[in-house]
Amino acid sequence: MPRKYPNYPYIEPITCGKSDDQISAIVDKLLLQNPQLSMQDGGPLDSLCRALDVDVEYSDRPNEILLDVPIGRNAVIFLAKDSKTRHDRLATATGLGHWLLHVPPTRKAHPDVGIQALYDPTDPEAFQEARRFAFALLMPEAAFKSLWYEGGGQLTAETLNVPTQSVYDRAKTLELSS
């Protein structure tokens, strides 16, 4: 069961200060570099995790760590054993957001410590950036708007296989009305 405060020194990820447009550009570049990946099919993100050399493991609750990046070992995204697929996809994409947005600058600033992105971080700003990455990855703006206007939140959540609340959160960030 992953717990924060391991036996080695660690730090939580530092924010990168990217705008939504910059985050979307990072997602677009990632998908262009990996044309075999399709995020809109609602399936698991295993192939993307493998492409980025990030492991995914399941753990019992309480699960405090979302992403663990120990020194000298592979990064691991931890998911709860009893969670639903939709929540797993969002948590995995959020972990990948930390991996791509926050680990490089955090590692550069603190090369001798591990990095842990927590589900309940001390400073939520980095978590919010990683969540915006997850939204852009799993719910790209054009596809999202099309589904949203076609059938609202429920159709969008079912089609993209994401939690319904995250659909409403994404709609809010895109300034769409329900």
Side-chain angles (χ1 to χ4, degrees):
M1 153 178 7
R3 295 270 192 164
K4 60 184 181 178
Y5 312 115
N7 295 335
Y8 59 88
Y10 85 98
I11 189 167
E12 290 184 49
I14 57 176
T15 61
C16 63
K18 302 276 188 214
S19 70
D20 286 343
D21 288 339
Q22 290 171 314
I23 290 172
S24 290
I26 291 168
V27 168
D28 292 344
K29 183 178 178 182
L30 173 67
L31 296 176
L32 267 173
Q33 292 173 340
N34 298 281
Q36 76 282 8
L37 302 175
S38 172
M39 298 300 109
Q40 295 182 45
D41 64 3
L45 302 179
D46 296 349
S47 57
L48 180 57
C49 290
R50 278 191 300 277
L52 295 172
D53 205 24
V54 176
D55 295 332
V56 176
E57 293 185 18
Y58 290 87
S59 66
D60 294 318
R61 294 190 187 271
N63 180 3
E64 298 171 334
I65 302 170
L66 170 60
L67 174 70
D68 186 26
V69 187
I71 296 173
R73 295 197 323 251
N74 279 3
V76 179
I77 294 172
F78 288 101
L79 304 173
K81 284 182 181 177
D82 60 352
S83 66
K84 296 181 179 0
T85 302
R86 290 179 179 192
H87 294 278
D88 286 351
R89 284 175 44 80
L90 183 62
T92 301
T94 302
L96 292 174
H98 281 301
W99 176 247
L100 294 170
L101 299 175
H102 303 132
V103 169
T106 304
R107 180 66 74 219
K108 184 175 182 179
H110 304 279
D112 298 328
V113 299
I115 301 168
Q116 287 188 336
L118 307 176
Y119 279 100
D120 187 19
T122 305
D123 178 4
E125 192 174 339
F127 184 82
Q128 291 306 319
E129 284 178 342
R131 182 60 60 103
R132 290 184 0 244
F133 174 92
F135 287 176
L137 180 67
L138 300 176
M139 299 178 277
E141 186 172 349
F144 183 89
K145 284 181 175 179
S146 175
L147 288 164
W148 178 263
Y149 289 124
E150 179 183 335
Q154 194 62 39
L155 174 68
T156 306
E158 289 173 6
T159 303
L160 299 177
N161 200 16
V162 293
T164 304
Q165 183 58 53
S166 67
V167 167
Y168 288 103
D169 293 343
R170 177 71 165 147
K172 185 176 178 181
T173 66
L174 295 174
E175 298 178 356
L176 303 175
S177 60
S178 50

